[in-house]
Amino acid sequence: MITMMKGVSIFFLFCAFRIINVFFIQSQFDPDEYWQQLEPAYCQVFMETGKPCPGLTWEWKREPPSTVINSISDFVDVGMKGPLRSYASILPTLLFYHAIKFFGLDSPWAVARGPVFL
């Protein structure tokens, strides 16, 4: 029981450190995948419908053709023309952006720094 309590307290200590750390760090490691997660989520929530999103990479811009699949080669052809990335990867950020927009908390700071909490 004492070992479990110690483990739980260490976990909460690390969580508190991570949350406090967000407010003090002014730089971050920027892998390309980080921005490829934020840009589509931002465009889905904050861009006007029908307007192109300027920051999207080609993986998000490909549109699937509206064709009937009759063979394996048609299946491969349609798959090669459709979007490459899944929206499942951006779901946490997408929900976060929807929440801050709904509650009117969509300040530039919240949009830019909020996903760091996720």
Side-chain angles (χ1 to χ4, degrees), residues 73-118:
S73 63
D74 288 344
F75 178 76
V76 171
D77 187 48
V78 168
M80 295 301 287
K81 294 177 182 168
L84 187 63
R85 294 193 178 251
S86 167
Y87 281 94
S89 64
I90 68 167
L91 189 59
T93 306
L94 188 69
L95 294 173
F96 173 75
Y97 282 162
H98 273 294
I100 63 171
K101 184 178 181 182
F102 178 78
F103 291 112
L105 303 172
D106 52 342
S107 68
W109 187 90
V111 170
R113 302 289 286 178
V116 176
F117 285 106
L118 302 176

Side-chain angles (χ1 to χ4, degrees), residues 31-41 44 55-64 78-91:
D32 192 36
E33 290 77 15
Y34 177 76
W35 294 107
Q36 288 181 9
Q37 172 190 350
L38 297 182
E39 291 164 347
Q44 287 284 326
L56 289 181
T57 59
W58 65 272
E59 294 101 339
W60 294 100
K61 290 182 179 180
R62 298 187 326 164
E63 294 292 329
V78 168
M80 295 301 287
K81 294 177 182 168
L84 187 63
R85 294 193 178 251
S86 167
Y87 281 94
S89 64
I90 68 167
L91 189 59

